[in-house]
Amino acid sequence: MLRKKQKNNAKLLKVPKGEYLINKEEKSNILLSLVVPTLEEKENIVILLERLMVLLDSKIPNQYEIIVVDDDSDDRTWQKVAKIANDYRQIKIMRRTSEKGMATAVIRGWQVAKGKYLGVMAGDFQHPLEPLLQMLSMIETDADVVVASRYVRDSKFMGIRLQRRLISKSARILGCLILPKVARKIKDPLSGYFLVKREVLNGITLHPLGHKILLEVLARGRVNKVAEIGYVFGARQKGVRKAKSKSYMQYVLHLFKLQITSWPLPRIGKWVLVGISGFAVDMFMFFILLQFTNLPLTLSAFLSAEIAIINNFFWNDRWTFGDLASKEPPLPFLYKKGMRFWKFNMICLSGLILHTLIVRWFVFDYDFDPYVAKVITIIIVSIWNIILNFRFSWNVPSQHEEISRKD
Ligand SMILES: Nc1nc2c(ncn2[C@@H]2O[C@H](COP(=O)(O)OP(=O)(O)OP(=O)(O)O)[C@@H](O)[C@H]2O)c(=O)[nH]1
Ligand SMILES: [Mg+2]
């Protein structure tokens, strides 16, 4: 039974401008701010809000707000909500006329939200209400994000056409291929139904694209623990279906954008400069050994390469990754430095072997010009060295993690 009406003169919420920065919440008794993005949901929104209020009043009365963000729907969904907001203080409405898109709508809602926990769910009843209370109790534990998932135990698709299920599945696989570090954190990285602790996003600027907001939160937020809960994803009963092909393209673009912006470019820049110094040391030592010692050619080549590896390790550990290394407690410092040098050496030496094999392969098996083969091989082996050393020798955080740690 809905709590008795409290008359108030609900105004449309002001639409924030500028970047999608989530700020610290103001002091309020609001625990949960649930954003419902809507586009042409006139037939669904009223019932949905009523049922949501009954549900949340039973658990957290006066401690929640539901913010509907409507992109100026032709069916005037926002007007319907404004009417309800007049009667129920916990219902808020934002009408966007200049911006469009589900993901940006959600963030604009979060930007004006007062709650400690930020949530999102669809306004078309494809997301059932029941899991919400359990998600609320789970977010109050150590989970940073609680996701209603279509790919864990107790979850299933109900009445969803095969084509749509295949699209959703293929999108998931694509996510794991292009953005493994993020998409593999959970089974349903494309879910549009989840709660997140605000402190995970405080001070972070999100860069949403298209339809999927959870990926942004997982990639850029300070997310350590994610929990998933199964639910039945049902077909849309009422209202108009929205176009999907465009949002699929946007999704793929979003994956690449998140992948590329996660690369620690400043460090890669330093790494390349150190690599160039290593090349100079290698050539110079090779010349010295050939000119002034009787060492055989292969040994001279190997020794000069090894001296270059030591040079590169010295400068990378001191300059490229100095800040990471310095964070380690003093005592194991030398041991850890030794371990890093060992890993770096093994990866670079295996790179050298790979180098020799690939050049031979290109020249003898594919008649490549030796110099072309050499240049291609240097690029391949450099990528090999960067990926493996960033991952295993220095365990470099993604650019997103670095940014989120700073804020
Ligand atoms: N504000 C806003 N909401 C949107 C937009 N696109 C979809 N929504 C809402 O976002 C919620 C979830 O949308 P989806 O279910 O993913 O997509 P859909 O477009 O509803 O697709 P179908 O459910 O298959 O019709 C629904 O409440 C939509 O009304 C948009 O561009 N702007
Ligand atoms: Mg839908």
Side-chain angles (χ1 to χ4, degrees):
M1 213 329 279
L2 267 178
R3 266 176 320 103
K4 79 180 180 340
K5 290 189 176 183
Q6 299 152 321
K7 273 268 161 257
N8 66 10
N9 178 14
K11 293 191 195 56
L12 294 179
L13 288 171
K14 203 162 160 310
V15 181
K17 294 260 174 301
E19 54 178 18
Y20 299 98
L21 174 67
I22 309 284
N23 284 319
K24 222 170 168 346
E25 75 267 25
E26 292 140 32
K27 277 251 151 294
S28 85
N29 64 329
I30 302 290
L31 207 56
L32 171 66
S33 298
L34 183 64
V35 170
V36 179
T38 57
L39 194 59
E40 320 299 343
E41 298 295 353
K42 182 180 75 180
E43 295 163 85
N44 291 311
I45 199 62
V46 178
I47 313 157
L48 180 79
L49 292 177
E50 285 171 356
R51 290 198 190 146
L52 272 173
M53 286 194 278
V54 170
L55 187 80
L56 294 171
D57 278 344
S58 70
K59 176 98 184 223
I60 50 171
N62 302 322
Q63 292 180 287
Y64 68 91
E65 60 182 354
I66 302 169
I67 303 170
V68 175
V69 181
D70 185 77
D71 285 356
D72 204 20
S73 297
D74 301 337
D75 70 2
R76 304 179 86 75
T77 304
W78 53 273
Q79 208 164 39
K80 285 236 176 227
V81 180
K83 262 214 206 77
I84 301 174
N86 266 335
D87 297 333
Y88 299 97
R89 197 179 293 285
Q90 65 271 46
I91 303 295
K92 315 244 166 89
I93 173 69
M94 184 187 288
R95 177 190 177 194
R96 301 198 305 168
T97 49
S98 54
E99 266 181 336
K100 284 240 175 297
M102 196 193 111
T104 57
V106 173
I107 299 176
R108 291 302 186 204
W110 287 348
Q111 285 182 296
V112 298
K114 296 192 177 67
K116 187 174 166 207
Y117 308 130
L118 305 174
V120 55
M121 75 179 295
D124 60 1
F125 279 110
Q126 285 195 280
H127 296 151
L129 277 60
E130 293 66 38
L132 202 51
L133 293 190
Q134 200 181 344
M135 291 162 77
L136 203 52
S137 45
M138 289 164 80
I139 197 82
E140 287 182 312
T141 63
D142 59 349
D144 296 316
V145 181
V146 177
V147 176
S149 172
R150 295 161 294 180
Y151 298 101
V152 292
R153 219 160 35 80
D154 309 333
S155 58
K156 71 171 174 278
F157 285 78
M158 185 96 87
I160 302 285
R161 287 167 306 115
L162 182 64
Q163 185 221 7
R164 171 128 186 208
R165 290 176 66 169
L166 290 176
I167 289 175
S168 169
K169 250 202 171 66
S170 66
R172 211 172 127 228
I173 295 165
L174 211 58
C176 291
L177 288 175
I178 301 172
L179 205 62
K181 237 183 163 184
V182 175
R184 288 204 188 132
K185 282 187 181 168
I186 57 171
K187 299 266 181 327
D188 191 358
L190 304 172
S191 173
Y193 189 9
F194 62 91
L195 303 184
V196 54
K197 277 194 174 86
R198 190 192 197 111
E199 66 203 27
V200 163
L201 297 173
N202 273 349
I204 292 180
T205 302
L206 300 171
H207 303 267
L209 188 58
H211 222 68
K212 298 300 169 187
I213 182 66
L214 181 55
L215 278 175
E216 263 306 294
V217 170
L218 295 174
R220 298 183 198 274
R222 297 179 202 89
V223 177
N224 296 317
K225 184 152 184 269
V226 184
E228 285 186 277
I229 170 179
Y231 78 100
V232 178
F233 181 61
R236 169 187 280 279
Q237 304 306 324
K238 294 197 184 116
V240 278
R241 281 187 50 66
K242 321 251 158 27
K244 279 278 178 248
S245 54
K246 186 168 152 251
S247 55
Y248 201 90
M249 272 323 293
Q250 286 178 318
Y251 166 64
V252 176
L253 274 178
H254 193 191
L255 287 175
F256 280 110
K257 187 177 158 193
L258 280 173
Q259 175 56 255
I260 292 163
T261 52
S262 75
W263 294 347
L265 294 177
R267 285 187 203 281
I268 292 174
K270 289 180 179 177
W271 174 275
V272 171
L273 288 177
V274 170
I276 292 167
S277 79
F279 177 73
V281 168
D282 189 347
M283 296 312 283
F284 175 70
M285 290 314 298
F286 188 52
F287 168 76
I288 297 291
L289 292 170
L290 279 187
Q291 296 303 322
F292 306 107
T293 74
N294 300 334
L295 288 176
L297 175 79
T298 324
L299 188 54
S300 306
F302 179 79
L303 272 180
S304 66
E306 183 55 29
I307 294 167
I309 288 175
I310 295 169
N311 166 78
N312 290 6
F313 177 78
F314 177 79
W315 289 114
N316 279 322
D317 203 54
R318 195 183 189 79
W319 184 47
T320 314
F321 309 110
D323 58 321
L324 297 176
S326 61
K327 282 199 189 100
E328 272 149 19
L331 256 178
F333 180 77
L334 274 181
Y335 165 72
K336 289 228 170 149
K337 194 174 181 86
M339 282 309 288
R340 287 198 298 275
F341 175 68
W342 170 245
K343 286 180 200 160
F344 180 74
N345 219 328
M346 285 307 109
I347 291 169
C348 293
L349 283 179
S350 59
L352 263 182
I353 297 162
L354 199 65
H355 184 115
T356 326
L357 294 175
I358 295 177
V359 169
R360 289 177 62 81
W361 190 48
F362 276 146
V363 174
F364 298 128
D365 295 10
Y366 292 92
D367 300 328
F368 268 52
D369 168 85
Y371 294 99
V372 175
K374 181 84 179 165
V375 172
I376 298 173
T377 307
I378 287 173
I379 296 167
I380 294 172
V381 173
S382 307
I383 295 171
W384 160 281
N385 280 342
I386 284 187
I387 292 177
L388 292 188
N389 277 305
F390 273 50
R391 178 76 186 73
F392 297 106
S393 305
W394 282 277
N395 191 18
V396 178
S398 76
Q399 196 62 9
H400 300 145
E401 286 161 326
E402 301 232 39
I403 293 169
S404 68
R405 281 185 196 163
K406 270 201 221 99
D407 293 312

